[in-house]
Amino acid sequence: MAAARLVLLGFALLGVDGASGAGPPRVKAVKSSEHINEGETAVLVCESKSAPPVTDWVWYRITDAGDQVIMNGSQSRFFVNSSQGRSELHIKNLDMEADPGKYACNGTSSEGTDQAVITLRVRSHLAALWPFLGIVAEVLVLVTVIFIYEKRRKPDDVLDDDDAGSAPLKGSGKPLNDKGKNIRQRNNS
Ligand SMILES: *[C@@H]1O[C@H](CO)[C@@H](O)[C@H](O)[C@H]1NC(C)=O
Ligand SMILES: *[C@@H]1O[C@H](CO)[C@@H](O)[C@H](O)[C@H]1NC(C)=O
Ligand SMILES: *[C@@H]1O[C@H](CO)[C@@H](O)[C@H](O)[C@H]1NC(C)=O
């Protein structure tokens, strides 16, 4: 009797396993967070691979004041593009102040409803500029340092050049030749 029940339980578990594609929707965000520049278009995507397929998609914004459903075409910036098993929310001309936050997609099939949440962050144009400004600042500092260094060095260098350049030149003609002779003589002997 007990053995028969165990076998039955085993079949029941196998049955649940085998039907993994079917049943209520299992909505997943393709990317659970997005980080996009202001002015650009965000594309938030949800999918459900369950059968029967999700046929109704609802997008909404999660705010402290409650959930706000996003209608297709609202503010001429929010567009919903849905098909069976997949839905996209396009947000055009992203705004730094208004648009960052949590968005949820709610997918409903004949078997039920499930939802996923996507976090949207919006980067300012300035943020994209910072690395470039950093390099410009670095170059400016380097150029300034080199300029100051050169300006301080120049009078000394000119004097040094005069001392070092002309003095040895006058006296170096003969000793150099002598040295040359000595070497040659040494080589000959
Ligand atoms: C959403 O709106 C756009 C333009 O306003 C339209 O082309 C599109 O068919 C609409 N989509 C749905 C699912 O209503
Ligand atoms: C809507 O999505 C389908 C694929 O799911 C795509 O082929 C189509 O171009 C999209 N339409 C818009 C207006 O984004
Ligand atoms: C999802 O939308 C359905 C109606 O389409 C609604 O009944 C349900 O409460 C929503 N689920 C959540 C978690 O908001």
Side-chain angles (χ1 to χ4, degrees):
M1 242 353 231
R5 274 193 194 144
L6 267 179
V7 168
L8 272 178
L9 182 68
F11 274 119
L13 286 174
L14 273 177
V16 167
D17 236 29
S20 58
R26 279 196 305 276
V27 172
K28 288 198 172 65
V30 170
K31 274 178 79 179
S32 61
S33 78
E34 292 278 6
H35 199 180
I36 296 167
N37 290 337
E38 66 176 320
E40 293 180 357
T41 298
V43 180
L44 313 183
V45 185
C46 282
E47 281 181 342
S48 171
K49 294 203 160 73
S50 65
V54 168
T55 48
D56 293 317
W57 291 97
V58 179
W59 284 88
Y60 50 93
R61 177 102 188 256
I62 300 174
T63 69
D64 294 338
D67 298 344
Q68 299 167 343
V69 172
I70 299 170
M71 302 306 291
N72 182 38
S74 69
Q75 293 178 37
S76 302
R77 293 201 301 125
F78 295 82
F79 296 95
V80 179
N81 182 5
S82 298
S83 56
Q84 285 198 350
R86 180 184 170 95
S87 182
E88 299 176 358
L89 172 65
H90 296 229
I91 309 173
K92 302 201 165 163
N93 193 15
L94 279 174
D95 187 290
M96 270 284 290
E97 305 296 324
D99 294 338
K102 286 190 188 310
Y103 294 80
C105 55
N106 181 349
T108 303
S109 76
S110 55
E111 295 295 310
T113 289
D114 191 18
Q115 64 162 351
V117 176
I118 299 174
T119 303
L120 173 65
R121 287 183 296 158
V122 181
R123 199 191 286 122
S124 81
H125 284 313
L126 224 55
L129 268 180
W130 277 127
F132 173 73
L133 291 180
I135 289 167
V136 168
E138 205 170 299
V139 167
L140 279 180
V141 167
L142 268 174
V143 166
T144 309
V145 166
I146 290 169
F147 182 77
I148 290 170
Y149 182 79
E150 287 288 308
K151 205 155 190 192
R152 284 207 180 150
R153 272 293 293 266
K154 212 138 207 177
D156 292 355
D157 281 355
V158 169
L159 279 176
D160 278 358
D161 280 356
D162 281 347
D163 289 351
S166 55
L169 230 143
K170 280 177 207 153
S172 68
K174 272 193 174 171
L176 207 110
N177 285 345
D178 289 353
K179 263 181 208 161
K181 270 182 203 161
N182 287 343
I183 288 167
R184 252 176 261 134
Q185 280 167 1
R186 249 183 255 137
N187 281 349
N188 289 342
S189 59

